[in-house]
Amino acid sequence: MKLSDYAKKAGISYRTAWRWWKQGNLTGHQLPSGTIIITSEAIDDNLKPDLIACIYARVDSAQNKDNLDRQAERLIRRSKRKTEKIIAELKSHRQ
């Protein structure tokens, strides 16, 4: 699997995957063209299941409170990590 595909599957940036490769945390080989191939055995071992996601949702008024809950739920569903912390903020404008 190409390093870019590995990064997408792992839910990390390409730069982070490249850094892990340079540090020797990923198993694979580099082709003469420069393409980095991560071996299939390394894929499951190197994915970091202990990484967590913190979800932040915010709306600007009390009228949108229902949107706040839907927004947080949508972010949780899209997260590829275990969600440990959810922050929901209802910002009211006082003048």
Side-chain angles (χ1 to χ4, degrees):
M1 170 183 299
K2 288 174 46 176
L3 186 62
S4 58
D5 295 334
Y6 170 82
K8 287 177 189 171
K9 183 174 181 177
I12 58 174
S13 71
Y14 176 82
R15 185 89 174 139
T16 298
W18 184 82
R19 189 175 60 247
W20 288 357
W21 164 256
K22 285 298 208 182
Q23 293 171 346
N25 296 331
L26 298 176
T27 306
H29 61 279
Q30 191 165 13
L31 300 176
S33 65
T35 301
I36 298 169
I37 304 296
I38 303 302
T39 58
S40 58
E41 308 87 56
I43 293 171
D44 293 331
D45 295 340
N46 290 313
L47 292 179
K48 304 289 185 186
D50 55 337
L51 293 178
I52 60 168
C54 293
I55 303 296
Y56 175 78
R58 175 182 162 180
V59 294
D60 288 333
S61 69
Q63 294 170 338
N64 294 326
K65 182 159 183 353
D66 291 338
N67 290 339
L68 181 66
D69 297 333
R70 284 193 299 273
Q71 186 184 115
E73 287 300 318
R74 185 175 64 245
L75 291 169
I76 291 167
R77 282 194 311 270
R78 293 190 69 185
S79 174
K80 294 181 180 179
R81 303 284 181 212
K82 178 182 172 189
T83 302
E84 286 285 324
K85 189 170 188 178
I86 301 170
I87 300 170
E89 181 179 13
L90 178 62
K91 183 172 175 72
S92 60
H93 295 284
R94 293 186 185 180
Q95 296 180 356

